[in-house]
Amino acid sequence: MSFLAGSANAAIISGTHYTNEGKLVNLSGLEWLSWDVAIGKSRASIEAGEMGLLDAGWRYATRKELSDLFQSVAPAPGQSPLNSDGTKWLWEVFDNPSFLAPAAPAPGSKLMSRIKYMFVGNDGECSAHADESCIARWKAFSDDGFGNVDKNAGYYPTYSYRLLKTSSSSGIVASTSEFAHVLVRATTAVPEPSSLAMFALGLISWVRYRRRSVRVKCG
């Protein structure tokens, strides 16, 4: 996990989260890695061990897991997340520091999120070819102070196109700098305070018992 310690932008998102308007975010009970951690890397390089992500327990989120995340911040079930609240939360939490320093492709244009496309899905979800991967669309932008997300955003179930894992460009995507990775892993169990207290009391009792046993033998 040294790569996380060495990156100021790295973040693990887990637990219970709500948007500013009180929508419960569905993280599927998993830890999620901030999308900006491996920005610009090909999926092939990540699968080959670059950055040690897979060795640290991370895996690519399924299409459903990403769909559930996007859908949970949408205004209502079945609707597109074309809303300021949900998009702002995703942008701030998963696409940092893009929200703080958004990209402006040209003077006077809308402020865009740095990340526009994301590798997602298990091998075989979008194609039977081992060298191809699912691509989800994110592409948030700010328009007159309101956050919006591309109408073809990642939670849609079709994922209508795919990309070579090693490719730096396609007919749609212009640069690897626009690519991110949707990585998740099982949550790390943390002992409850009560469990720690019971363990400490048990350890103290054992130490006292051992001391008494030693004294009896010496006497």
Side-chain angles (χ1 to χ4, degrees):
M1 297 301 289
S2 59
F3 75 94
L4 287 177
S7 174
N9 299 328
I12 296 174
I13 301 96
S14 63
T16 303
H17 290 266
Y18 295 89
T19 66
N20 291 335
E21 293 183 4
K23 299 185 185 74
L24 177 63
V25 181
N26 184 3
L27 297 177
S28 299
L30 299 166
E31 291 183 343
W32 294 66
L33 193 63
S34 180
W35 299 334
D36 66 307
V37 170
I39 189 170
K41 306 289 185 181
S42 72
R43 177 161 177 169
S45 67
I46 296 297
E47 291 183 343
E50 186 171 355
M51 300 182 70
L53 291 165
L54 302 189
D55 288 339
W58 297 99
R59 64 168 174 82
Y60 281 90
T62 65
R63 294 193 306 174
K64 183 180 186 306
E65 287 165 345
L66 183 62
S67 296
D68 289 344
L69 170 65
F70 274 86
Q71 188 62 66
S72 69
V73 299
Q79 294 183 13
S80 166
L82 287 168
N83 68 101
S84 176
D85 176 56
T87 300
K88 185 174 185 290
W89 189 90
L90 288 167
W91 197 345
E92 288 180 326
V93 175
F94 278 96
D95 197 359
N96 241 337
S98 182
F99 182 83
L100 302 176
S109 62
K110 296 176 181 178
L111 299 179
M112 308 291 295
S113 63
R114 181 178 51 164
I115 296 168
K116 297 180 178 63
Y117 305 94
M118 299 180 290
F119 287 109
V120 67
N122 296 320
D123 284 339
E125 276 200 79
C126 291
S127 170
H129 298 287
D131 59 347
E132 293 182 339
S133 176
C134 302
I135 299 295
R137 298 183 70 176
W138 159 238
K139 196 177 180 182
F141 61 88
S142 177
D143 187 9
D144 298 325
F146 291 94
N148 293 277
V149 66
D150 189 284
K151 66 180 180 180
N152 295 314
Y155 86 83
Y156 282 87
T158 53
Y159 291 79
S160 58
Y161 68 104
R162 57 187 184 265
L163 188 72
L164 290 175
K165 295 178 183 181
T166 55
S167 180
S168 61
S169 63
S170 73
I172 301 175
V173 184
S175 169
T176 53
S177 64
E178 300 173 343
F179 279 100
H181 300 258
V182 185
L183 296 166
V184 298
R185 70 179 180 185
T187 55
T188 304
V190 178
E192 297 179 0
S194 58
S195 300
L196 292 174
M198 291 178 65
F199 173 77
L201 288 173
L203 182 60
I204 292 171
S205 299
W206 180 81
V207 170
R208 287 178 176 174
Y209 171 78
R210 291 291 296 170
R211 286 178 177 174
R212 288 175 183 173
S213 298
V214 171
R215 286 174 184 171
V216 171
K217 290 178 181 179
C218 292

